Structures are given as C-alpha cells and as structure tokens.
Amino acid sequence: MKHKKIYILGLMLILFIFNNLLITSLLFLFKTSISLINAILSFILTIVIYTLIMKKEKYITKEKIINIFALTLVIITSILISGQIYDTTYDGNTYHKTAVGELKNGWNPVYETISEFNSNDSNQIELINTYETWNNHYAKGYDMYAANIYSLTNNIESGKSIYLITITATFLICFALLKSKFKNRLSILLSLLISFNPITICQLGTFYNDGLLGNFLILMIISLTLVISKEKTINQKYSYGLYFLTLVLLINIKFTGFVYAGIYSLFYYSFILFNKQKRKEHLKNITIIGITSLIIGVFLIGLSTYPKNIKTSSHPFYPLFGENKVDIMTNNTPEELRSKGVLKKFFIANFSETHNSMEKEENSYKLKMPFTFKLEELKYFIGPDVRLGGFGVLFSGILIISTLLIIYTIIKLKKEKKPISIYILPILATMFLIIILEDSWWARYLPQIYLISVVPIISLKNINIEERRKKLMTNIIVIILTLNSILILGPAFLNIITQKFTVDSSFSKLNGLVSETKLILEVPEFSGAVYNIYDKHPNIQVVNNLDDKEKYEKYNLMGSRVDILGFAKQE
C-alpha cells in the first residue's frame, strides 16, 4: 500500500508540469499571455486532483497533510535551488532563454511570431536577436513551463526547476516499483541511477532539454511496462495516467520526443494487439489514451508548433525537415565520424575516450579498452553535450556487461517459461531507434539508452539461479554504474559551483556601480542572458551598439562562457 502512495506522489509532480502547459495553452487560445496566475492555477488544480485521489484511496487526514506538504516542498525547493544555478551555456543563452523571456513578457506564439512581438511597442525588452527560426517552430513545452515560473519569481533561472521536479518524480516512481523486488538500500540506489543519469547530471543546471526528454521517456516506458505486466503492483488507472501525461509532455518537449514516444508506443501497442489476453484487457483503453494524448498534445498544447508549422512551412517538424530545412548536425558531428555508417558511429561514440572535439586535426576519437579511462576525459563533463563517451568513461564496459546479462537472463527466463516481453520490448524499440536514426551516436540524442543498463539487474531478480551468484552479478553492475555516475557528477557539479561564484562576483561589482553610475549594456549574440541582468536591475538601459566604447569600463557580467559585456561610465 505504501509503495502506491509514493508512486502517486511522483505522478502528481508530473501532473503539476502538465497542468502548467495545459492552462497556459488554454489561456493562449483566449489571447491571454503568461502571468504569475498560470503557475498558481496549475498548483491549485494539482492539489485539487491530488485531494480527490487521496479521498478515493482512503488516505487518513495525517497522510493527506504529509503528502500535500511533500508535493509543495519538492516544487518550492526545486524552484529555489534552480534559481541559484546560472545557465552559462551557448544554447541556454541564445534561443532557450530568449523564448522563455519573451513568453514571460507577453509573447503569444499562437497568434504572433517572436519577431513580431519583439518589435511591438508593448514589449518591455527589445532584443537584437530572437532566434526566430528555432523559437517560432520548435516545441515549446519546456519554455512555457519555465516562463510560468519566471513570472512567479522574476528569476529566469528558476524556470529550470522542471528538471529537479522531473528527476524527483522519476526517482519516486522507480523506488515505489523497485522496493517490492529489492531491499530499500538497493531500491534507492537503482532509482537514483535511473533518474539521475549521465545526461540529466550534465544538463541539470541548463535549459537543455535532452535529459528531461530522457526521464519522460523512461517514465513512459515504465507506464507501458506496468500495463502489460502480469504483476499488478500499481492500480492500472495510475499506469494509464502516467502514460497519458508523459505522452503529451514528450510531444511538446522536443521533436525527437514526439518520434520516440510514437515508436515506443507502437512496439507496445503491437504487442497488445497480437496478444489475445492483453488485447481484451488493454486495447480499447490504450487506443483512447493515445488518441486523446495526440489531440491535446498536438492541437492544444502543441498548437503553436505542429499545426502552425504545417501552415507556414508545410512540415510539422520544420526547420529540421521539409522545404528549406536547416542542417544542424553536420557541423555538430566530429569530422572523422561524418562519413561513417550509423552503427559504426554509434560504436565509435560509445567505445572511445570521452571527448568533445569536432575537428579532424585534433584526432577527434581514440578507441579505448572498456573500464579504462584517463583523468583528462573527466573535464568534458562540465559541458551539457559531450559527443564522444557522453554516457560516462565506463559506459563501454557497462554496455558490454549489460548486453551479455540481458541475453543470459532472457534465455533463462525463456527456459523457465516466464514472461520476457517486459524486458524485450523496450530493448527492441531502442535497438530500432539506434539503427534508423542517423544521429543516435550522440548520447544527448538517445538518453533513454541508459535504462538498458538497469534492465539486467531487474531481470536477474526473476531467474532461478544460486542466490550468491545472483547477488554477485547484481553488485558488480551496480558498483560500476555508481562509479560511472560519480565520475561525471564531480566535474559537472564543480562547474555549476564555479559558474555561480563567477557570475555572482560579476553581479556584486555591478551592484556597487549602479548607485553611482549609468550602466549601459552592449547586447551581443547571447540575447537570452540579458534577462539575467534585468532580473537584478530592471531599470538598466539596454542598447545595441556603443560608438565610444573606449570611454567605458568593461565588465563581463555572465562569467567566462557567456560574453555579456557591461560598460559603466561615471556620470
């Protein structure tokens, strides 16, 4: 009973994110821009639904209070922590923050382009670059949520709280399911490894959305696995609920989220369709949920993306597909990989030394022995988009062990006449994606693959072998997975702390200047980062050019990786 309550708490955290997107989209239709009301209404709606569920599940009063407090605590803590972490990445300070800031200031993407809003007299901050190719056409789920929280806090960085909320939800849902199979300590560790995986670790302090997409995919796979599983650990309606929420969110986080969700759903749907018992139990419900999710995900929350893209550019996934599509991958692919086939690129990317170079003359890849690494490889995990060895310095070895254990356990389960579909389906769907996707080599583009590392641990639990052997194999892979994550966690968190001190130091200098000087900012390529300046000093004058720079004192206001230049002059 207790594990179900933990699962429901995780589900309500995902519902809070969904409600933010739903309410914002409905208000957009009625030409109402984002305000602090959006986040407040989303929270109230979540609490109302949670209360109704707790009433139906016969929670006692004390449990209701504790669970509502826990939900509120996770949301508030996530917002506060995220607000203290600065995103100093290129993508974060170009189109991501630009979209979030413009949405918060009144941009309604259903009825106007971002450039139309930017040049409108009602806009408070006119930016030199709105990155309209990306912001007009890309999925806007993350941006809408972030803008809602930004309106509430007046701190653009707090919009990243969606990451911590999703990580917490993934942890709670995984723990609720694993604790029925494993001891608490191992259940906690496995849940941490799944939710706090290499991609989420590297992107936690940024507006990148790959880690977020990965966790939503993991939750969707879990929901579908619960649907087809013979073990009814969780009430079926909560499995359906999780599938519905994650499917809508995946459609609106990223184009690849839409594609991945469709492919995984197709694999599970096919299994249900061709299995007489599952067809009778689930086909009708899964079909209704799938169609409803598509309608809400595409034609309501995704209205400013997919239907609008078809209308303006003749393809739902423009600018990545369709006429006049933009090639973003050639220059992002290490030169020595560009001529390779899909599987060879995947092999090289996962069995090479960790590196992030794209230049051929720098010898962009070096194959290495599994379970070996050099200390210099770790420095690349300060970035959110590591190209080679992006899942960690030990992942090549993990991939080999996991593959062998999966084959071994599936053969054993087959011999013992036990179900194998719950293990086979997510693996087959992932293998299919690796084969058909040209860019599956890049870790950030296939974050859900890390789930495969944990599958053999779960399947081992269900085979009949000597308990000591089972424990040994489980411990080996858990220890390696943990060490791999720790080696990524060190440089990633050190970078977050270093950037925070650097930016805080810059702002403290600015604080001392504002009272006695006129500050003028030269707005560079990183237009989104201007919102960080305005959050702290809303009355600062922003100009696009300075003719007499030599008369001004130069300040780097956003740290070493984002060159926002401040010029101060004594009055």
Side-chain angles (χ1 to χ4, degrees):
M1 184 66 179
K2 190 177 180 181
H3 64 268
K4 182 165 76 171
K5 292 174 181 176
I6 296 171
Y7 180 99
I8 293 171
L9 176 58
L11 185 64
M12 291 302 101
L13 288 169
I14 300 299
L15 180 65
F16 172 69
I17 297 169
F18 171 83
N19 285 341
N20 269 278
L21 272 56
L22 179 67
I23 288 170
T24 300
S25 300
L26 287 169
L27 290 173
F28 277 160
L29 282 177
F30 293 97
K31 299 188 177 182
T32 303
S33 299
I34 287 173
S35 69
L36 58 85
I37 295 296
N38 294 41
I40 294 170
L41 284 176
S42 303
F43 178 73
I44 291 171
L45 180 58
T46 306
I47 294 297
V48 169
I49 294 171
Y50 198 9
T51 303
L52 292 173
I53 290 172
M54 288 190 288
K55 183 179 179 181
K56 190 171 183 180
E57 295 291 339
K58 295 182 171 55
Y59 284 42
I60 62 174
T61 304
K62 184 180 177 182
E63 287 177 323
K64 291 178 183 177
I65 294 169
I66 290 172
N67 281 275
I68 289 175
F69 175 76
L71 178 78
T72 308
L73 183 65
V74 170
I75 293 170
I76 292 175
T77 304
S78 299
I79 292 171
L80 292 175
I81 292 173
S82 299
Q84 295 302 308
I85 300 171
Y86 295 103
D87 180 359
T88 59
T89 63
Y90 181 89
D91 285 10
N93 288 285
T94 51
Y95 69 93
H96 282 303
K97 283 185 186 176
T98 298
V100 173
E102 297 287 82
L103 283 166
K104 181 254 187 184
N105 282 346
W107 175 37
N108 186 333
V110 173
Y111 295 105
E112 60 188 340
T113 66
I114 192 168
S115 56
E116 287 170 347
F117 171 76
N118 186 56
S119 59
N120 194 300
D121 291 339
S122 63
N123 181 26
Q124 301 170 25
I125 306 171
E126 185 175 355
L127 301 174
I128 193 171
N129 193 341
T130 58
Y131 298 92
E132 59 180 342
T133 300
W134 317 115
N135 286 329
N136 283 335
H137 300 286
Y138 272 3
K140 300 172 183 67
Y142 191 162
D143 299 332
M144 286 194 285
Y145 169 88
N148 284 355
I149 304 302
Y150 186 16
S151 292
L152 192 67
T153 63
N154 283 319
N155 177 353
I156 195 168
E157 302 293 348
S158 62
K160 305 190 302 294
S161 57
I162 192 172
Y163 253 109
L164 287 174
I165 291 171
T166 304
I167 287 169
T168 306
T170 307
F171 170 82
L172 290 171
I173 289 170
C174 289
F175 177 67
L177 299 171
L178 291 171
K179 74 188 297 290
S180 63
K181 292 182 173 293
F182 303 100
K183 292 180 180 179
N184 274 356
R185 189 180 299 175
L186 183 55
S187 298
I188 290 170
L189 184 55
L190 288 175
S191 301
L192 279 172
L193 289 170
I194 295 168
S195 58
F196 212 52
N197 55 69
I199 308 303
T200 55
I201 291 172
C202 289
Q203 295 188 358
L204 180 63
T206 75
F207 280 91
Y208 277 70
N209 50 21
D210 309 289
L212 189 65
L213 177 143
N215 273 24
F216 283 143
L217 272 171
I218 287 168
L219 290 175
M220 194 192 79
I221 292 166
I222 288 170
S223 70
L224 289 169
T225 302
L226 288 171
V227 168
I228 67 168
S229 176
K230 287 185 177 180
E231 298 177 27
K232 300 303 176 188
T233 315
I234 299 295
N235 190 308
Q236 205 68 74
K237 62 189 176 187
Y238 297 125
S239 304
Y240 289 144
L242 182 61
Y243 177 54
F244 167 74
L245 293 176
T246 50
L247 184 51
V248 173
L249 291 170
L250 283 164
I251 290 169
N252 287 285
I253 290 297
K254 201 170 182 177
F255 287 164
T256 47
F258 198 157
V259 175
Y260 292 168
I263 288 172
Y264 281 99
S265 295
L266 186 62
F267 269 78
Y268 280 88
Y269 191 84
S270 299
F271 173 78
I272 292 169
L273 187 64
F274 292 106
N275 184 298
K276 186 177 179 181
Q277 183 185 347
K278 302 300 178 186
R279 184 169 67 242
K280 185 179 178 181
E281 291 176 356
H282 305 298
L283 186 62
K284 181 181 176 181
N285 290 333
I286 285 292
T287 302
I288 292 170
I289 291 168
I291 293 171
T292 306
S293 300
L294 278 172
I295 292 169
I296 294 173
V298 174
F299 297 103
L300 178 56
I301 296 174
L303 181 61
S304 64
T305 301
Y306 301 105
K308 203 170 179 181
N309 282 354
I310 292 171
K311 182 181 177 181
T312 61
S313 308
S314 303
H315 199 290
F317 297 139
Y318 180 83
L320 302 185
F321 295 92
E323 192 177 348
N324 300 318
K325 68 179 181 180
V326 180
D327 176 14
I328 63 169
M329 282 309 300
T330 299
N331 290 334
N332 271 302
T333 303
E335 193 172 334
E336 291 185 24
L337 265 65
R338 292 172 194 173
S339 60
K340 304 286 192 298
V342 173
L343 292 179
K344 193 164 186 179
K345 281 194 282 192
F346 181 82
F347 176 80
I348 290 170
N350 288 288
F351 285 81
S352 294
E353 291 181 7
T354 298
H355 209 285
N356 215 24
S357 170
M358 291 173 283
E359 301 300 327
K360 188 173 183 178
E361 58 267 26
E362 291 186 27
N363 194 8
S364 56
Y365 77 86
K366 292 180 183 177
L367 295 175
K368 67 175 184 178
M369 285 292 293
F371 302 115
T372 65
F373 70 93
K374 300 173 183 174
L375 285 177
E376 66 184 38
E377 292 180 62
L378 302 181
K379 68 183 179 183
Y380 295 104
F381 292 107
I382 67 169
D385 54 1
V386 183
R387 285 162 176 78
L388 303 180
F391 284 112
V393 292
L394 301 178
F395 185 69
S396 56
I398 291 168
L399 199 56
I400 292 170
I401 289 179
S402 298
T403 303
L404 292 174
L405 278 176
I406 286 167
I407 295 168
Y408 170 72
T409 54
I410 286 173
I411 291 171
K412 289 286 289 181
L413 288 166
K414 188 76 174 171
K415 285 182 179 179
E416 295 168 13
K417 296 183 178 179
K418 292 178 180 177
I420 61 171
S421 55
I422 59 173
Y423 311 111
I424 287 285
L425 284 171
I427 292 169
L428 287 178
T430 305
M431 287 173 62
F432 178 73
L433 286 169
I434 291 170
I435 293 167
I436 68 163
L437 290 179
E438 185 71 24
D439 306 314
S440 62
W441 60 270
W442 201 350
R444 63 175 282 212
Y445 281 170
L446 206 71
Q448 70 274 21
I449 199 174
Y450 209 70
L451 185 64
I452 292 175
S453 309
V454 183
V455 168
I457 299 170
I458 300 167
S459 58
L460 269 171
K461 186 71 177 175
N462 293 325
I463 62 174
N464 294 323
I465 59 170
E466 186 184 353
E467 198 61 36
R468 192 173 65 175
R469 281 177 60 202
K470 189 185 292 187
K471 189 175 181 180
L472 177 64
M473 286 189 280
T474 300
N475 286 343
I476 287 171
I477 194 163
V478 168
I479 289 168
I480 298 170
L481 280 168
T482 304
L483 181 59
N484 187 61
S485 291
I486 289 171
L487 289 170
I488 297 170
L489 198 64
F493 268 59
L494 182 62
N495 176 63
I496 286 174
I497 294 166
T498 303
Q499 291 299 321
K500 176 171 173 54
F501 278 114
T502 303
V503 177
D504 279 342
S505 174
S506 298
F507 277 127
S508 68
K509 293 175 184 176
L510 179 58
N511 292 339
L513 289 167
V514 167
S515 61
E516 58 189 60
T517 65
K518 179 180 180 182
L519 184 80
I520 302 177
L521 300 177
E522 180 181 56
V523 183
E525 182 180 4
F526 302 101
S527 55
V530 171
Y531 287 100
N532 290 94
I533 315 297
Y534 270 105
D535 291 344
K536 293 184 180 292
H537 299 287
N539 297 320
I540 277 180
Q541 180 185 353
V542 176
V543 296
N544 295 334
N545 293 292
L546 284 172
D547 295 328
D548 52 350
K549 286 183 191 174
E550 66 281 356
K551 298 178 182 177
Y552 291 77
E553 188 173 353
K554 177 180 174 182
Y555 291 86
N556 192 329
L557 298 174
M558 280 295 290
S560 58
R561 292 170 60 191
V562 178
D563 198 23
I564 289 285
L565 303 178
F567 294 86
K569 182 180 180 181
Q570 293 287 341
E571 289 186 324

